[in-house]
Amino acid sequence: MNKISRMLNKSFFGLSLVIIALLWVFPFIWMLMSALKPSDVIVMSELKFFFKPTLEHFRYILIKQPFIRFTFNSIFVAVTVTAITLFFGISTAYAITRYRVGGEFLKLWILLTRMLPPPVLLIPLFVIFRTLGLLNTLTALVMADITFLLSFVIWVMKGFFEDVPLELEDSAVIDGCSRYQSFTRVILPLVTPGIVSASILTFIFAWNEYLFALVFATATRVKTLPVAAGDFITGYAVNWGPVFAASTLIVIPVFLLVVFLQRYIIRGLTLGSFR
């Protein structure tokens, strides 16, 4: 009886996981299907699962719209934000952990800045960028994203540095390494999972960022993909085909990134969560 009960529990658990996975995956499947549907099929009142696929929506956004330019803008912003945020975030987290820079007040301040909702920063940043003449530039987007994501990287990396025993650095110094050499040769390799996790998550956040891009970069030459996809939704009509096609192209790079690097993300976040 106990064996049957365990089998039923496992079956119920497995079925529950399948249902949850389908609920999560269904919107993405629906988005891809809609991107391949002809325009007249998308707006039909009845639901159609069988149709003749078409690439007209992808051709429209790639040929008749400067979507390649928008893609370059998004890549530039995401890569630049990730690189700069990691450099300063890792350095700051190491200084806070090893040298107690700023004490508990700085740690609390970093945590509080992370808890601020992004709309709170819109007006101050808008005034600053307008004064500096940075509106409608990719520089403004990079600076705005760094302002919001730097605290995230610092807090994540702080947990990893705290997990590394101080004795390892002292041993490296005794063996003849300078503080810089002990940091680059001993500490950084040990916190590589955290660096990978922080870089992937930071890239995803910067890639998907919409609010700052909508306010600080309205010119066509500096638009990013999320804002460009929203342009197909107007007050008069919604061009559903290009919306689904653009959304699919936006999601695919992030999806592939997570699929191929998910073990690093899970390992990094897990290692950084215990002390």
Side-chain angles (χ1 to χ4, degrees), residues 49 86 93 112 134 139 145 171 181 185 202 228 233 245 248 268:
F49 288 98
L86 280 179
L112 288 176
L134 294 177
T139 304
D145 288 343
S171 299
Q181 289 174 330
R185 297 181 182 180
T202 302
I233 303 175
T248 301

Side-chain angles (χ1 to χ4, degrees), residues 17-231:
L17 291 180
V18 171
I19 293 175
I20 294 173
L22 289 176
L23 290 176
W24 278 96
V25 173
F26 178 76
F28 299 102
I29 296 177
W30 183 262
M31 178 180 65
L32 179 59
M33 289 177 56
S34 300
L36 297 174
K37 288 181 179 180
S39 299
D40 56 341
V41 176
I42 295 178
V43 297
M44 291 178 63
S45 57
E46 63 270 14
L47 194 61
K48 289 193 67 173
F49 288 98
F50 301 99
F51 54 89
K52 184 179 180 180
T54 179
L55 296 177
E56 61 174 298
H57 307 307
F58 291 99
R59 283 195 293 267
Y60 175 78
I61 64 174
L62 292 175
I63 297 176
K64 297 185 179 180
Q65 298 289 327
F67 212 75
I68 302 299
R69 176 68 181 182
F70 302 150
T71 303
F72 170 80
N73 292 340
S74 289
I75 293 174
F76 175 82
V77 171
V79 172
T80 306
V81 168
T82 302
I84 296 176
T85 305
L86 280 179
F87 177 79
F88 288 103
I90 292 173
S91 305
T92 305
Y94 180 76
I96 291 175
T97 305
R98 287 294 186 258
Y99 301 104
R100 309 299 177 186
V101 176
E104 295 299 323
F105 174 77
L106 181 58
K107 295 180 183 179
L108 180 61
W109 177 256
I110 292 172
L111 184 60
L112 288 176
T113 57
R114 181 58 191 167
M115 296 169 63
L116 281 175
V120 175
L121 303 174
L122 283 180
I123 296 179
L125 289 177
F126 184 87
V127 174
I128 293 173
F129 293 152
R130 185 182 62 180
T131 303
L132 297 176
L134 294 177
L135 289 179
N136 286 323
T137 64
L138 295 179
T139 304
L141 292 184
V142 170
M143 294 175 64
D145 288 343
I146 290 174
T147 301
F148 185 68
L149 293 173
L150 182 59
S151 57
F152 167 76
V153 175
I154 293 174
W155 203 256
V156 170
M157 294 307 304
K158 169 182 165 295
F160 282 92
F161 285 127
E162 288 176 345
D163 287 340
V164 178
L166 182 60
E167 290 76 13
L168 290 178
E169 282 188 86
D170 295 337
S171 299
V173 173
I174 293 174
D175 290 338
C177 291
S178 64
R179 282 294 178 183
Y180 175 77
Q181 289 174 330
S182 66
F183 173 70
T184 55
R185 297 181 182 180
V186 178
I187 303 303
L188 283 184
L190 293 176
V191 298
T192 299
I195 297 175
V196 174
S197 300
S199 61
I200 294 173
L201 294 175
T202 302
F203 180 89
I204 292 174
F205 291 151
W207 177 268
N208 292 331
E209 204 288 315
Y210 177 77
L211 184 61
F212 291 152
L214 180 65
V215 176
F216 302 138
T218 57
T220 301
R221 70 180 188 280
V222 292
K223 280 185 179 179
T224 55
L225 290 176
V227 177
D231 287 345

Side-chain angles (χ1 to χ4, degrees), residues 237-262:
V238 178
N239 201 349
W240 286 112
V243 168
F244 287 122
S247 302
T248 301
L249 294 181
I250 293 172
V251 168
I252 285 177
V254 177
F255 176 77
L256 295 177
L257 185 68
V258 173
V259 167
F260 288 108
L261 299 178
Q262 60 178 326

